[in-house]
Amino acid sequence: MLGSKSQFSANNHLRLQAVSDALSITWLPHIIAADALHSGQVVELLPEYSITCEPLYLYYPSRRGISKCEVNFSDVFTKHL
C-alpha cells in the first residue's frame, strides 16, 4: 500500500468534508450527505450496495420532570427521522 496508513473517523461531518475535498470515499447516513448529493458536490457510489440500518429509538423517563432541552431534542429527533 505504498506506506499509507488507514484512518478511521466517526465524525460524519469530517468524513463528508474529506469526500468533498476529494480526499476519500466513505459511507455516510443520507441525512448527512443529502444536501451535498442534491447540489452535486458529491455523488453516490455503488447505490446497489446501500446499507440499511435498524430503526432508532429514543428512550427517556416519563414526560414529568423532563427538561425543556430534552423535549426540544426529542422533537427535533422525531421530526428528522
Side-chain angles (χ1 to χ4, degrees):
M1 293 268 274
L2 301 174
S4 66
K5 290 185 177 181
S6 177
Q7 300 270 333
F8 175 79
S9 171
N11 182 322
N12 288 331
H13 296 288
L14 181 63
R15 291 173 26 208
L16 178 59
Q17 186 63 51
V19 169
S20 297
D21 293 342
L23 298 174
S24 70
I25 62 172
T26 190
W27 174 86
L28 287 169
H30 188 267
I31 193 169
I32 301 296
D35 290 340
L37 285 165
H38 182 70
S39 71
Q41 183 179 3
V42 299
V43 296
E44 188 173 15
L45 186 65
L46 303 172
E48 63 274 15
Y49 294 101
S50 65
I51 299 170
T52 57
C53 298
E54 295 295 320
L56 295 174
Y57 298 95
L58 180 62
Y59 295 100
Y60 52 87
S62 71
R63 287 270 183 193
R64 189 173 30 151
I66 194 167
S67 74
K68 180 72 172 163
C69 179
E70 292 167 318
V71 170
N72 289 340
F73 177 81
S74 175
D75 291 345
V76 169
F77 182 84
T78 55
K79 178 182 175 187
H80 290 285
L81 297 176

